[in-house]
Amino acid sequence: MQTLLKLLRISFMTLPLLAMQQAKPTRVIFFGDSITQAGVGTKGYISQMKEILQSRGMGDQYELIGAGIGGNKIYDLYLRMEEDVLAKNPDVVFVYVGINDVWHKRTHGTGTDPDKYVKFYEAIIKKLQANNIKVILCTPSVIGEKTDYSNEQDGDLNYYASMIRDLSRKHNLTLVDLRKDFQEHLAANNADNKDRGVLTTDRVHLTEAGNKFLAEKMLDGLLKK
Amino acid sequence: MQTLLKLLRISFMTLPLLAMQQAKPTRVIFFGDSITQAGVGTKGYISQMKEILQSRGMGDQYELIGAGIGGNKIYDLYLRMEEDVLAKNPDVVFVYVGINDVWHKRTHGTGTDPDKYVKFYEAIIKKLQANNIKVILCTPSVIGEKTDYSNEQDGDLNYYASMIRDLSRKHNLTLVDLRKDFQEHLAANNADNKDRGVLTTDRVHLTEAGNKFLAEKMLDGLLKK
Amino acid sequence: MQTLLKLLRISFMTLPLLAMQQAKPTRVIFFGDSITQAGVGTKGYISQMKEILQSRGMGDQYELIGAGIGGNKIYDLYLRMEEDVLAKNPDVVFVYVGINDVWHKRTHGTGTDPDKYVKFYEAIIKKLQANNIKVILCTPSVIGEKTDYSNEQDGDLNYYASMIRDLSRKHNLTLVDLRKDFQEHLAANNADNKDRGVLTTDRVHLTEAGNKFLAEKMLDGLLKK
Amino acid sequence: MQTLLKLLRISFMTLPLLAMQQAKPTRVIFFGDSITQAGVGTKGYISQMKEILQSRGMGDQYELIGAGIGGNKIYDLYLRMEEDVLAKNPDVVFVYVGINDVWHKRTHGTGTDPDKYVKFYEAIIKKLQANNIKVILCTPSVIGEKTDYSNEQDGDLNYYASMIRDLSRKHNLTLVDLRKDFQEHLAANNADNKDRGVLTTDRVHLTEAGNKFLAEKMLDGLLKK
């Protein structure tokens, strides 16, 4: 009897500890470009995701880490993935890249060919999966907010978005279709057909509202079963 | 009786004049790029327009003249308009240019800035109108036939088309909205989302079917009251 | 005696005419882009040319007029030459354009093809000469001041300069070879191989020293017999 | 005893021969783009190197392996270096890449930014050196053979060549300065300032003479002490 009591006592004492141990938060890395680099700022999308999780009482369940560098394209992610992602042992990685791969064709002549975009993307997916990391894909949001399909690089951006959708199907991965989400939101909220100022400050980088919108969509992707 | 004879005499004298006047066909010049240059070929759109007019018994009412040169952009038209258009005293001029203004941004780095496109376009309209020529505007058809809005330059081409629509409204000119016409036709006839082969051979230049489709749309524009 | 009187009478009559003729300054228009637009500023090259002429006691002999507009390429000059040049009845016109024709290939995808550059250039020369205007050609200076031939667009700029040299030979026109002048000056004065800061503020637009250097070269061209 | 001495004598004589034979040939991989892909063809530069080595009686001392893929840029080499280079355990690797990194800026809008060119280049050098492989760097040859410095991308190509020279100094690596070699050869052998036809067929890819010239320069680099 004494032994039983003793065991029970131990159980009562260790249970919380076990619970705490089970409560080890899911480590999530956002792997991307300048939008993600800004995402860890005060009102950045990653910071806003943390706030939302907190407000829903889920703050302890997730550890959100930004790994964004301005100007990055798909091959830049590949080059630094060991150091900036794998070394941190994440459970989940959002890959959110593609805007510069398209945009820089026009601004610097240094975008990424579609076939190589896919090749590097698949190399990244493969390495992440080889490390048992859940991979979540994101389509590139916008380069210009006009809603009449006349943003200069809309066609090309749609093409890269379609390649990412194909990758998500092929590899059976969760997709956050930001391109679609942004376009739908703008169709409803940009009656003046402005090229910036609703979700972005400069056609690409996000306003606080843009970061909030992105935070919600990313969270949907994270919590999707 | 004398009066009747007098009237008859006048009739006999004036009839031939009237006939001659009626017989003088409306002179129409198609002012454009390689698509229009090819338009005077055996199955080109201008040749097909002539055939259609003939088949409707209107062959004598219109004289159709091609004035297209490969690679031309809006400013090339401006440079050669005295010689190739005004010198020929046309009654009607179709201005069909813009594809190279967009396309060559990607292929040669030598497209045309939007504001300058409009500036040269208006200079052409002004000169034609100063010569009492009816001006008909055409939006640029396609650079790529894909129907999911993912042809690389769709966005920019849509923008140039919208500027031409604005010009037609501003100057109260007949518009042949080829961009819209082609996109609607392709939406209905390109289920496989091919980038060429329906109306074009190479994403831009027209197949025989493409020339036929264009001929019909141009004729609608010509006969529009 | 009669002859003498006659001669005197002629002298009295023609003197004022001669005086007027001597007094009327040579009207010189500088036709170009943003460099020329800035040329009429306080320390701009045209203002500095005026000062130099003044200091040499030749201030009354020349009227220097700037006709530069930022972003202009060869075809922009053609479009506005009636209004901005011919309407002002100049005696001499400096054509100084070409930097944007090359530069904008990289920055906007809207440079000018070499063959069209020559075509518009010759159309301008022809119109100026038809109006008995002396034409002076200038090669484009620099896009980047590095002296080891590694400014990104050096090759293309050299090509456009060579086309202008060809035009000056073909049409027997005075040439101010700014490209050559600037490169020689930089070879001697830019030991650190800097891409800006010697004659330009931003690889293209001129410092005060750059404006002074340009003023001297332009003046040499103007006074060349 | 005599037999033993005899055997010993033979051993002493043959040992060096055996040693020479045991001198497993130096395995050399040429890591590059389409020029290297063509290099293994009948008259390709790698094939011609083999012939030259053979003719000098050094055919057994080197094993030359081509690892070139058309369209490759620096980051494409990085992506496939494990499989195509490291897996083959080479003793020496020539890295000959950069033409597409510059060229595709103009043709596809998909060149490589200078800073990223260096970053990927150093990542490749580091991995090769970590595997005890001797690394030989090559500057990019030509895009256009004109000798008056007016090939469109001369300036940019010179810049990338200079970055590679810097890398060879910084990492103390053998350099084959093809850019310099080609320019000197053309200066002496292209009096007509042709843009192709001396060492290249199309401004980039090599003629048989071009392959021969390249073979000699690469061999110099390989045999350099």
Side-chain angles (χ1 to χ4, degrees), chain B residues 70-73 75-76 78-79 101 104-106 108-114 116 119-120 123 127 160, chain C residues 70-73 75-76 78-79 101 104-106 108-114 116 119-120 123 127 160:
Chain B
N72 267 206
K73 296 163 204 156
Y75 52 78
D76 298 305
Y78 183 76
L79 183 62
D101 298 84
H104 290 193
K105 289 187 190 179
R106 263 293 297 111
H108 299 79
T110 57
T112 309
D113 288 307
K116 295 189 177 170
K119 196 175 271 185
F120 275 93
K127 275 203 183 183
Y160 282 65
Chain C
N72 267 207
K73 294 164 205 156
Y75 52 78
D76 297 305
Y78 183 77
L79 182 63
D101 299 85
H104 290 193
K105 289 187 192 181
R106 262 293 298 110
H108 299 80
T110 56
T112 310
D113 290 305
K116 295 188 178 171
K119 196 175 270 187
F120 275 93
K127 275 204 183 183
Y160 282 65

Side-chain angles (χ1 to χ4, degrees), chain A residues 192-208:
Chain A
D192 294 342
N193 198 36
K194 292 182 290 185
D195 79 337
R196 69 196 70 192
V198 182
L199 295 175
T200 77
T201 57
D202 61 355
R203 299 171 64 239
V204 168
H205 299 95
L206 302 177
T207 57
E208 188 178 325

Side-chain angles (χ1 to χ4, degrees), chain D residues 110-127:
Chain D
T110 55
T112 309
D113 289 306
D115 60 334
K116 295 188 179 172
Y117 184 78
V118 168
K119 196 174 271 186
F120 275 93
Y121 214 127
E122 292 206 293
I124 289 172
I125 291 171
K126 200 177 158 189
K127 275 203 183 183

Side-chain angles (χ1 to χ4, degrees), chain B residues 1 27 30 35 37 40 42-43 63 76 107 113 116-117 126 128 139 143 152 161 163 171 175 179 184 191 206 208:
Chain B
M1 183 67 200
R27 180 171 288 181
F30 296 86
I35 294 177
Q37 189 171 20
V40 296
T42 322
K43 287 296 176 185
E63 181 189 7
D76 298 305
T107 55
D113 288 307
K116 295 189 177 170
Y117 185 79
K126 200 177 157 190
L128 291 173
T139 54
I143 304 174
E152 184 176 347
M163 292 190 294
H171 297 278
L175 175 75
R179 178 99 190 118
E184 286 175 1
L206 302 177
E208 189 179 325

Side-chain angles (χ1 to χ4, degrees), chain A residues 70-73 75-76 78-79 101 104-106 108-114 116 119-120 123 127 160, chain D residues 70-73 75-76 78-79 101 104-106 108-114 116 119-120 123 127 160:
Chain A
N72 267 208
K73 297 164 203 155
Y75 52 78
D76 298 306
Y78 183 76
L79 183 63
D101 299 84
H104 289 194
K105 289 187 191 181
R106 263 293 296 111
H108 299 80
T110 55
T112 309
D113 289 305
K116 295 188 178 170
K119 196 175 273 186
F120 275 93
K127 274 203 183 182
Y160 283 64
Chain D
N72 266 207
K73 295 164 204 156
Y75 52 78
D76 297 305
Y78 183 76
L79 182 62
D101 298 85
H104 290 192
K105 290 187 190 180
R106 263 293 298 111
H108 298 80
T110 55
T112 309
D113 289 306
K116 295 188 179 172
K119 196 174 271 186
F120 275 93
K127 275 203 183 183
Y160 283 64

Side-chain angles (χ1 to χ4, degrees), chain A residues 5-31:
Chain A
L5 277 171
K6 207 170 181 180
L7 274 170
L8 273 169
R9 221 183 307 142
I10 287 166
S11 302
F12 274 98
M13 277 163 64
T14 51
L15 252 171
L17 289 171
L18 281 168
M20 263 170 64
Q21 205 152 353
Q22 283 171 345
K24 182 173 165 290
T26 302
R27 179 171 288 182
V28 184
I29 290 183
F30 296 86
F31 199 23

Side-chain angles (χ1 to χ4, degrees), chain C residues 134-146:
Chain C
K134 180 181 160 80
V135 187
I136 297 178
L137 308 188
C138 308
T139 54
S141 34
V142 296
I143 305 174
E145 301 191 47
K146 288 195 290 181

